[in-house]
Amino acid sequence: MKRIETSMRISAVSLAVIATIAIGWVLKEAQPILVPIVLGALVAFLMDGISNLLSRIPLYSRVIPAWLRMTMATFVLFVVLTVGVAFFARNLEPVVRAIPQYAESLSGILSAFAARFDYELEVTWQSLDRLVFDNVDLQALIRYTVNSLSYSAGYLALVFLYAILFLIERESIATKLQVVVPDAESRQTVWRTIDLITDQIGTYFTTKTLINAVLGVICYVIFLLFGVEFAAFFAVLTAVFNYIPYVGSWIAMALPMLFAIGDFGLGLKAVLLFGALSVTQFGVGYFWEPRLMGRSMNLSPVIVMVSLAAWTAIWGPIGAILSVILTSGVMTIMSFFQTTRPLAVLLTNNGQVPSEVDD
């Protein structure tokens, strides 16, 4: 009997591993189809969140109806994102063109610093290019990146089309769900799952966007005060990378720091800039953000890092940005089923799953 149970467990684990690999392969191969749909859903959450925030303004909700608030939020968000894509397309090329100049300056600073310790170090842009980039065609890279950003304008329109369709479709979900799930108790469980997921993702994504915008503005002011070139570009880059948990904001901070060191050396000014950016990152990431976000995601830090690596491998940078949201949605769904609830508990930070529904 024990042998049968052991073999059944081994079979179940093997099937789970195979199913996980198969799902990962499907997600990776279907990336061109799935990513704009997922982004459209997130934009719909964001538009709904902005509309709800605007409704809290005194007398605003009484004067302007809900459909007009949603239309205004959609228009403003579309304009902001379109301007953001155009901004990147215009500023990325001069930033890339300036890299060799700053790299030469940085190599001179490093060589002078190494000479103080009687250590010879000679690093040039050409040697870095051969070592790191393997003689990459910089002009081709610039053209490819700019063309990709230009293509993003059409991609952005597709994402907004999905978002609008999601907002229109939500009005008929109740009717469809009543036909698909005729049992009232089961239908209530489905509604609870939908409400939990939409509440978690909507709260997280809207609040995170607000936090990132404030972080970008603060960093922009810091870059201007210290005279860092391409201040606006690096500020926007910091805000976007802050969607990536734990490591994103620090990666975004590394590039302006390298530009700053290449510009005014390893002096007191560079140290003060690093200190100002570090205090900002710690203040926003470890004090202000937890107070606003609370425990909306409730994911273990280890699971966050594992999901970051997994979703990055599947969907690249988009997967890194969406890793927390996607993993939280999976955890919430698993918490509603008795067989998968233990796995959901393992994903949480405090052992409390979003649902305690009995099958």
Side-chain angles (χ1 to χ4, degrees), residues 65 185 329 346:
E185 185 175 353
L346 293 177

Side-chain angles (χ1 to χ4, degrees), residues 309-343:
W311 285 109
T312 303
I314 295 173
W315 282 354
I318 296 296
I321 293 174
L322 301 179
S323 59
V324 172
I325 295 175
L326 295 172
T327 306
S328 175
V330 171
M331 182 263 290
T332 302
I333 293 174
M334 290 194 301
S335 69
F336 275 86
F337 301 97
Q338 189 68 36
T339 54
T340 56
R341 192 175 300 162
L343 293 176

Side-chain angles (χ1 to χ4, degrees), residues 92-104 138 229-230 259:
L92 185 61
E93 182 173 353
V95 171
V96 175
R97 288 185 183 278
I99 289 178
Q101 176 186 350
Y102 278 91
E104 289 288 355
L138 193 60
E229 195 176 5
F230 310 116
F259 269 69

Side-chain angles (χ1 to χ4, degrees), residues 51-239:
S51 178
N52 291 333
L53 288 176
L54 291 176
S55 65
R56 298 178 183 178
I57 300 176
L59 300 178
Y60 182 83
S61 59
R62 298 180 181 179
V63 176
I64 301 178
W67 68 268
L68 185 56
R69 292 199 303 269
M70 183 63 68
T71 303
M72 293 171 59
T74 303
F75 177 76
V76 171
L77 189 59
F78 181 78
V79 170
V80 169
L81 292 179
T82 303
V83 170
V85 171
F87 172 82
F88 261 92
R90 188 184 66 178
N91 288 270
L92 185 61
E93 182 173 353
V95 171
V96 175
R97 288 185 183 278
I99 289 178
Q101 176 186 350
Y102 278 91
E104 289 288 355
S105 177
L106 184 61
S107 66
I109 294 171
L110 293 176
S111 299
F113 182 78
R116 297 181 181 180
F117 302 94
D118 296 327
Y119 182 79
E120 294 184 2
L121 178 66
E122 184 178 356
V123 182
T124 63
W125 168 249
Q126 288 77 16
S127 62
L128 286 174
D129 181 56
R130 288 192 299 268
L131 178 63
V132 180
F133 299 102
D134 193 24
N135 294 314
V136 67
D137 187 349
L138 193 60
Q139 301 298 326
L141 178 61
I142 294 173
R143 288 194 298 270
Y144 174 78
T145 306
V146 173
N147 290 336
S148 298
L149 288 172
S150 301
Y151 166 76
S152 298
Y155 194 83
L156 185 63
L158 177 63
V159 169
F160 264 86
L161 177 61
Y162 277 122
I164 294 172
L165 292 176
F166 277 126
L167 291 174
I168 296 174
E169 190 71 16
R170 69 176 180 176
E171 302 298 333
S172 61
I173 290 179
T175 304
K176 294 179 180 179
L177 191 61
Q178 189 171 1
V179 176
V180 175
V181 186
D183 182 65
E185 185 175 353
S186 300
R187 189 165 59 250
Q188 184 180 6
T189 301
V190 174
W191 271 120
R192 288 188 59 187
T193 306
I194 295 174
D195 290 340
L196 272 173
I197 293 176
T198 54
D199 182 65
Q200 283 184 338
I201 295 178
T203 302
Y204 173 84
F205 193 61
T206 305
T207 309
K208 187 73 172 176
T209 301
L210 173 64
I211 291 171
N212 292 353
V214 174
L215 176 64
V217 171
I218 296 175
C219 290
Y220 176 65
V221 174
I222 293 174
F223 293 145
L224 284 182
L225 291 176
F226 282 87
V228 178
E229 195 176 5
F230 310 116
F233 178 83
F234 289 136
V236 174
L237 195 68
T238 301

